[in-house]
Structure formats: C-alpha cells, structure tokens
Amino acid sequence: MKLEFDLSLYLVTDSTMVPAGKTLAETVDQAIQGGVTIVQLREKSADTGDFIATARTVQSITRKARVPLLINDRIDVALAIDADGVHIGQDDMPLSEARRLLGPHKIIGVSVQTCEEAEIAVRGGADYLGIGTCYSTNTKAVKVGPQGPAGIRAVWEHALKVSEPPCKVRAVTIGGVNQYNVAHVLNYACAVNGTCLDGVAIVSAIMTAPDPRLAAQGLQQQINTARQTSGLRPKYDIDHVSQQVAAVFAQSKAGSITPLVQHITNSVVINDCANACLALGGSPIMAADVEEQADLAQVVNALVINIGTLATEQVAGMREAMRHANLHQTPIILDPVAVGATTHRMQVIDEMIRDFGICVIKGNAGEIAALAGSAEMKMRGVDAVGTGFADPVAVVKQVALCHRCVVVMTGVVDYVSDGTNTFAVRNGHKLQSVITGSGCMLKKHQ
C-alpha cells in the first residue's frame, strides 16, 4: 500500500547551502521539527556510494519522524535504501520506466514547466507534480524562465482539467518561494474553481537558514494562513455587506478603532490623503524609505501604495514595504495611477502584482482596462478616455478573479468585486471629476 504523504511544506535539500558548523542531517532534522512534511534528497554531484550513505543517514531521521523521503532522479539510490519514492525531471528516466522499477506503492513526483508536460505526467500516473519555476532561482538550471504565480496557475488548471476522478492530481510549486511570498503564491496560483496547490517546495529559505526549525515554522504559519484565505469567496448579499461597512464606520466614529495606515503615495495629494485618513478615524504615516519598512511593518494595520508621481527610489521603498506587509499579513491597497499610459508604469504594476499579495486594487476605468487587457477604455495621462465598458460588471469581476483580490473601479458609478460578489455604488458627485486627488483619497475608505 502506498504511503500517505502531505505536500504542504516540501523540503528539497542542497548540501552546498548548509551553513558552516551545521550538517545536512542536522538541517533536515531541525526542519522537520519546524513542520516540514516531506523531504526530497537532491545531491546532483555526489558519487553513488556517497549518495547512498547520505541517503541512509537522512532516512534514519525521516523514518523516525514518519516523514516520507524521496530521492531526486536516482532510481538506483532509491532502490538501494528502500526510499519512499523518487522525484524525476523531464530529462531523467521516463515515468513509466520508473514506475516499472519501483512498483505501484512508491511515490513518484514529476517536474513540469508547461501544460503539455503536466498533461503527460498526469496521464502517466504521477503521484504529484512539481510545477516551476515560480520565481528566479540559482538552485537549479531550468529551460523555461520564471513563470510567476500566474504561469503556475495556468499549468495547474490544465493539470486539473485533464485529471480523471477519482485520482485527483496533486501539486506543489517551486522556485524562489520564501516566507515573504509563500501565502501570495498559494493564493494567486489557486485555480479558478477554488482548487489550490497542495503545497510549496522550498530549498534555500530553509537550507541556508541559521535556524532551520524557525524557518520551517515561519513558512508553515504562512501556509496555514493562505489555506484559510485562498479559494472561492463566499457569496454575500447587499444587506450583509452594508451592515459590515456600517459597523466599521460606527467603530471608527466612536474611536474604538484607530488603524495606523501607512501611505506611500504621490506628492500631489499626500497632505489631502493624510487629512482624509484622520477624518475617517485612522492614523496616517507617510513613510517611503527602504530602511524603515521592516520596523513599520510590525505596527501598521494597512499599507496604501499609489504610483501617481512615480520615481525609481520610491518604487524600491514600495516594494520593500509590500514585502514586509505580506510577511505580517497586512492588507495592501494598490492604486495603479495611469497604468497603461506608459510602458514603464505597466511594468512596475505587473511586477508588483506578480510578486506581492494585493488585497484591493482601486482604479478608474482606463486603469482597470489596462489590467484587464481591454481596448474599450484608454489612459490619457491620469484620465480615462473612451465611451465606457459594454459590461463593466464583467470587467471588474474578471480582474478580481485574475488577481485574486477585491477590485474597485471608480467613475460615475463605482463597481466593487471580489470575483464572486459584485456591487454597484451610486453615491458620487460630478465635482469629483474636476478636482485633484478624489480617487486617491477614496482608498482611505477601503
């Protein structure tokens, strides 16, 4: 009978990364204590005899902890020590041959980078897929460059599509995943039907850590958080949403909550945004320097990013703030001002959405059109131009589903969607379109 296995926190070893004063066995042992659920021993340059000796040492640790041990690539080593299974790549032994040699009860995972490779592996009976690479990595040479969470999702959705019940395919992603981005990766790579990846494969974030146990614990905490928030959003009616919004404003008015809101925003409206935040019962802090983001992230309750007056040094501060916000599960509100007006702005926003978990994206119709890839609206500077969307509800829902966040599209009628629930808000005023910063200040309500 095949061993049950948990892919949630999957350690891939690399002995060359072990810090001075530690051994590979100690690192694996401590990582398992911290929450690693499965181990793949990868020793690309080891001789057969040395590989077998190392594998036996590591196996004594994994068996004691009842954690499966897989061998990377080397079927002979797996057979020699009676490992729990193997992980093979596209240039290794074919899956069918590996299964013939190992038998039906061993775990076999397959690395895939494309939909075609995933389909072949699924139909060939792989027990799980390792989809990558997500982000750039130096731990392994790859033929296909980093795909980001969106690319991982595309392969994952195809694998699910070709997977035949009752044998549901399982998968992890690998490549540049760490405690700062793991929750974002799991949320963003979740399939449109709500089926999420089974876990993540980690190399350097654990292998290079001074304390592998703490590193694994931190990753496991982020994974648990992602599992609670990923997937399909529940359906809400307008009365429920109205009650929740009213309750928040009532608490704010009563002074029972005073959220500390960090703003990295444009210089045109910085004072107006601070005053709007104060008026709504919040406490604003305008802080953009890279060096202070780690400290601020420990105390702020929300982070607002606005690229209105875009500058290179400001982007560095924004990215560092977003990185630490993700670590602390602090909500990020992104205002992609004039995205689509220039190639540079589009690139900056694309990279932010790829690398960080965003809770809310707020934009005018032209900005949302740029994110949706729609030609119905355009940007002329910071202004949206065009006749409007034929179906604005479908557009905001599409962007929300694509980016796994809430999308607010402002205009004569504002539209708000989380991909499941979509509402129209008709409370604007024509004067809002003839003053500067009304949209920027809107984020303080979110």
Side-chain angles (χ1 to χ4, degrees):
M1 183 175 179
K2 188 171 295 183
L3 182 70
E4 292 292 324
F5 60 100
D6 178 357
L7 292 169
S8 59
L9 183 52
Y10 184 141
L11 173 63
V12 180
T13 71
D14 186 335
S15 59
T16 66
M17 292 184 173
V18 176
K22 285 187 176 293
T23 66
L24 175 64
E26 289 172 342
T27 298
V28 172
D29 187 24
Q30 292 170 19
I32 290 173
Q33 292 176 40
V36 161
T37 59
I38 188 167
V39 176
Q40 178 193 143
L41 185 63
R42 186 167 74 183
E43 295 294 321
K44 287 294 187 181
S45 60
D47 293 333
T48 300
D50 291 339
F51 200 161
I52 290 174
T54 300
R56 290 195 189 281
T57 300
V58 173
Q59 187 181 51
S60 67
I61 295 167
T62 58
R63 280 192 171 170
K64 183 178 179 181
R66 297 184 179 180
V67 167
L69 174 65
L70 310 183
I71 302 299
N72 175 263
D73 180 16
R74 298 288 299 272
I75 308 296
D76 56 337
V77 174
L79 287 169
I81 71 163
D82 190 27
D84 299 304
V86 297
H87 184 90
I88 55 177
Q90 293 299 310
D91 297 327
D92 298 330
M93 181 181 291
L95 172 58
S96 58
E97 187 65 15
R99 179 63 72 196
R100 184 186 70 79
L101 291 170
L102 291 171
H105 302 308
K106 297 296 184 180
I107 302 165
I108 302 181
V110 180
S111 294
V112 300
Q113 295 178 294
T114 67
C115 292
E116 180 183 12
E117 291 174 355
E119 182 168 346
I120 292 171
V122 169
R123 296 194 187 283
D127 293 303
Y128 73 89
L129 308 178
I131 308 174
T133 55
C134 189
Y135 297 115
S136 60
T137 175
N138 296 320
T139 62
K140 182 180 179 181
V142 294
K143 294 181 179 179
V144 179
Q147 303 180 63
I152 301 302
R153 183 205 301 164
V155 177
W156 174 227
E157 289 187 331
H158 186 75
L160 289 170
K161 181 179 178 181
V162 300
S163 178
E164 297 180 0
C167 299
K168 183 183 90 68
V169 66
R170 302 170 69 183
V172 297
T173 187
I174 188 170
V177 181
N178 55 49
Q179 62 178 339
Y180 292 94
N181 60 27
V182 62
H184 163 55
V185 168
L186 287 172
N187 178 53
Y188 202 102
C190 195
V192 70
N193 68 0
T195 305
C196 298
L197 293 169
D198 295 274
V200 290
I202 304 292
V203 189
S204 59
I206 291 178
M207 295 305 301
T208 64
D211 189 331
R213 182 180 63 83
L214 287 179
Q217 282 180 343
L219 285 158
Q220 191 63 261
Q221 288 170 3
Q222 296 288 338
I223 291 167
N224 291 339
T225 298
R227 285 183 166 171
Q228 292 169 13
T229 58
S230 299
L232 295 176
R233 309 267 184 170
K235 186 72 176 175
Y236 297 118
D237 60 37
I238 188 63
D239 290 336
H240 172 82
V241 174
S242 297
Q243 290 169 7
Q244 293 296 310
V245 171
V248 170
F249 275 99
Q251 287 179 300
S252 177
K253 186 176 180 180
S256 57
I257 57 170
T258 308
L260 178 59
V261 183
Q262 181 183 356
H263 305 254
I264 305 182
T265 189
N266 70 77
S267 57
V268 176
V269 300
I270 189 168
N271 189 61
D272 295 330
C273 289
N275 285 328
C277 184
L278 285 168
L280 289 167
S283 177
I285 179 169
M286 279 39 191
D289 193 272
V290 169
E291 298 300 325
E292 57 185 349
Q293 301 310 322
D295 291 337
L296 285 172
Q298 299 179 53
V299 294
V300 299
N301 302 112
L303 172 66
V304 176
I305 299 293
N306 177 306
I307 68 164
T309 48
L310 193 61
T312 300
E313 62 274 13
Q314 187 186 48
V315 172
M318 290 176 174
R319 289 183 61 84
E320 187 69 0
M322 296 169 87
R323 189 170 80 97
H324 285 283
N326 278 180
L327 179 64
H328 294 280
Q329 293 96 46
T330 302
I332 300 173
I333 299 92
L334 176 63
D335 190 343
V337 179
V339 66
T342 68
T343 302
H344 178 58
R345 285 177 183 266
M346 194 76 233
Q347 181 180 350
V348 167
I349 291 299
D350 280 346
E351 291 175 354
M352 285 181 175
I353 292 173
R354 178 197 67 197
D355 295 342
F356 308 110
I358 311 297
C359 288
V360 180
I361 296 175
K362 194 281 312 177
N364 64 27
E367 292 156 354
I368 299 302
L371 295 179
S374 170
E376 290 184 271
M377 295 292 292
K378 300 286 186 182
M379 289 303 297
R380 181 174 177 270
V382 298
D383 297 324
V385 294
T387 58
F389 293 110
D391 189 348
V393 171
V395 172
V396 294
K397 183 176 180 179
Q398 171 200 338
V399 178
L401 284 172
C402 178
H403 298 308
R404 300 297 190 265
C405 67
V406 173
V407 172
V408 179
M409 184 171 73
T410 59
V412 176
V413 177
D414 298 331
Y415 293 92
V416 184
S417 179
D418 63 3
T420 299
N421 308 278
T422 305
F423 301 103
V425 182
R426 297 175 174 85
N427 64 352
H429 193 283
K430 62 182 180 181
L431 290 179
Q432 287 180 292
S433 64
V434 295
I435 63 170
T436 299
S438 61
C440 300
M441 287 183 280
L442 174 65
K443 296 188 299 300
K444 311 308 167 290
H445 294 69
Q446 294 162 5

